[in-house]
Amino acid sequence: MGSNCHWNAIEVGFDGVEIHGAQGYLIDKFMKDQVNDRTDEYGGTLENRCRFPLEIVEAVVNEIGADRVGISNSFTKSLSPKPAARCSGVSPLVLLILALAPLAATFAI
């Protein structure tokens, strides 16, 4: 990982860190289909758009442990699926939960 912020927080006595993934910051931008128009493995499907936050969480968890990592989000506020998903009858929140399920399974959170 390119930063020592997580280690600095632990060294000075914080119980853990929270990755800021809300209110239009970078992680939130990757999650939004209206903003993320990438055509690589980080764009397109919800699963691909979840790749970036999952990789960030994984990197920090591998450094300081899952019991010390949280992530803030505003994903439910920013999800407005494309018309095809809206017509599917599946809630955007359900789709998001399914896409982020590897996070809970991998890190037992």
Side-chain angles (χ1 to χ4, degrees):
M1 197 160 163
S3 172
N4 292 340
C5 297
H6 52 288
W7 278 119
N8 294 342
I10 300 304
E11 284 181 11
V12 298
F14 284 89
D15 293 332
V17 298
E18 180 176 271
I19 299 166
H20 189 56
Q23 287 96 20
Y25 285 88
L26 188 60
I27 292 173
D28 190 42
K29 298 282 188 197
F30 267 81
M31 298 294 296
K32 292 181 179 181
D33 63 350
Q34 313 93 320
V35 177
N36 182 348
D37 58 0
R38 298 174 65 110
T39 58
D40 61 7
E41 68 270 17
Y42 294 98
T45 67
L46 184 57
E47 290 80 9
N48 283 356
R49 289 181 282 131
C50 288
R51 184 182 313 273
F52 182 61
L54 289 171
E55 287 177 357
I56 291 172
V57 171
E58 180 179 20
V60 177
V61 163
N62 288 339
E63 291 284 325
I64 63 173
D67 59 328
R68 294 176 172 237
V69 178
I71 183 168
S72 64
N73 72 73
S74 58
F75 302 146
T76 57
K77 292 179 185 175
S78 62
L79 285 176
S80 88
K82 295 183 178 173
R86 269 190 238 124
C87 296
S88 71
V90 178
S91 159
L93 181 56
V94 170
L95 295 173
L96 176 66
I97 291 168
L98 292 173
L100 292 175
L103 186 66
T106 302
F107 304 116
I109 57 173

